[in-house]
Amino acid sequence: MSSYKEIKKITTHQLQEFKNSGRKITMLTAYDYSMAKIIDKAGIDVILVGDSAANVMAGYESTLPITLDEMIFYASNVVRGVKRALVVVDLPFGTYQSNSKLALASAIRIMKETGAEVVKIEGGSESKDQIKRILSAGIPVMGHLGLIPQSIHRFGTYVVRAQEENEAQKLIEDAHLLQELGCCAIVIEKVPAVLAKKIATELTVPIIGIGAGNVDGQVLVSYDMLGLTQEFSPRFLRRYCNLDKIITDAVANYITDIRNNDFPNEDEQY
Ligand code: KIV
């Protein structure tokens, strides 16, 4: 068995091989060195430095306020902690929508300044020129369709998307477009499971779901699945532990030990 140090980086080509062979793709977010190191060591395929950092790291209501400089800071910390996983970084709101030149400049900054391997962009036909231009510079792009959080003020709600026929049709067309453009994978967020399944079956590009049923892979926000966030409980979220409680109990014990003159003891001093 090879040791953790010898393990080779996951590539975008491997994501395609995983889909071709029916092996599910696993993906989680991370925003800092220490958490990225643990998640990578546990064997995840893809680490997403999501703009959900705006919510879980910075406490904003939406993902809109986070800047490119902040994403670069988070992403470069993550990259230093990762040996195996493919690292994908979100292009934040306002850094690609206006035109393809801006999109390429933002993607180049991410690639040069963080060492990540892929950028992720929200939107289908609206983002076509931007995705084309970034791909033409040799930068892999992951798409993101369905409930795209940077458009939350257009949607006005976080309810399941593409429940109506016209939106479902656009989603299908957008997914085909992203595959034709050459995206290495597509995240589909919060849409009916049958629709996402249909897209994953029709397309050869890997479809990674979040609240989109059982497709080629799954992504969750690590802080949510580890129970660090408590206020967010959508149906699609499975909590694998309750770090909020574990940390709260640990801090309470620390406070008690100090107040009781139990910490530090004889062995914990010089
Ligand atoms: O920013 C993020 O964490 C994401 C995932 C929810 C897919 O885009």
Side-chain angles (χ1 to χ4, degrees):
M1 222 178 95
S2 56
S3 77
Y4 173 61
K5 268 192 180 156
E6 292 157 0
I7 290 170
K8 291 217 176 75
K9 283 283 280 187
I10 299 276
T11 64
T12 54
H13 292 274
Q14 270 168 293
L15 298 189
Q16 189 61 60
E17 283 167 19
F18 292 157
K19 167 144 186 169
N20 298 347
S21 66
R23 178 211 185 270
K24 298 285 179 176
I25 298 164
T26 61
M27 173 161 150
L28 276 175
T29 65
Y31 317 97
D32 67 55
Y33 168 81
S34 302
M35 184 75 92
K37 203 168 164 187
I38 296 169
I39 291 173
D40 184 52
K41 196 148 54 75
I44 206 82
D45 298 322
V46 186
I47 291 185
L48 170 66
V49 185
D51 58 0
S52 51
N55 310 115
V56 297
M57 300 300 287
Y60 290 115
E61 283 284 318
S62 79
T63 57
L64 273 62
I66 200 158
T67 66
L68 186 58
D69 284 341
E70 287 165 336
M71 288 302 294
I72 287 172
F73 173 73
Y74 291 127
S76 47
N77 296 344
V78 164
V79 166
R80 283 192 290 276
V82 171
K83 289 195 163 71
R84 176 181 174 274
L86 182 76
V87 180
V88 180
V89 182
D90 265 333
L91 279 182
F93 180 68
T95 68
Y96 64 94
Q97 285 90 348
S98 346
N99 59 66
S100 61
K101 195 173 167 195
L102 175 69
L104 179 57
S106 304
I108 287 176
R109 276 202 65 198
I110 287 181
M111 300 302 280
K112 277 179 104 75
E113 296 177 41
T114 72
E117 287 103 15
V118 180
V119 297
K120 179 161 81 58
I121 289 198
E122 294 186 6
S125 53
E126 319 76 43
S127 304
K128 178 180 171 193
D129 293 343
Q130 289 86 335
I131 293 172
K132 244 172 126 169
R133 184 108 186 232
I134 294 171
L135 285 167
S136 73
I139 302 171
V141 176
M142 183 176 281
H144 187 160
L145 300 172
L147 199 164
I148 42 176
Q150 290 176 17
S151 296
I152 189 59
H153 297 304
R154 177 162 60 83
F155 297 144
T157 163
Y158 282 97
V159 297
V160 179
R161 301 309 312 173
Q163 300 189 81
E164 303 298 330
E165 181 55 33
N166 56 350
E167 198 178 329
Q169 194 49 44
K170 175 161 171 23
L171 183 69
I172 295 168
E173 285 165 15
D174 279 343
H176 278 271
L177 173 67
L178 296 190
Q179 170 170 290
E180 279 158 29
L181 291 174
C183 285
C184 64
I186 305 170
V187 169
I188 297 190
E189 180 164 352
K190 215 168 178 188
V191 305
V194 279
L195 176 61
K197 190 80 189 168
K198 172 180 159 59
I199 293 170
T201 309
E202 272 178 23
L203 296 186
T204 53
V205 68
I207 303 297
I208 301 174
I210 171 164
N214 189 353
V215 283
D216 304 317
Q218 296 296 321
V219 56
L220 284 176
V221 169
S222 54
Y223 275 48
D224 296 335
M225 65 80 81
L226 294 172
L228 271 166
T229 54
Q230 293 291 310
E231 58 284 349
F232 181 67
S233 280
R235 177 171 172 170
F236 67 76
L237 174 62
R238 187 178 293 182
R239 283 211 172 79
Y240 284 82
C241 66
N242 189 347
L243 282 190
D244 179 300
K245 179 165 176 7
I246 291 169
I247 294 171
T248 304
D249 290 350
V251 173
N253 288 338
Y254 175 68
I255 292 168
T256 305
D257 287 354
I258 294 170
R259 288 191 180 147
N260 290 342
N261 289 311
D262 183 55
F263 176 78
N265 65 24
E266 288 296 321
D267 294 338
E268 291 162 331
Q269 51 190 290
Y270 301 99

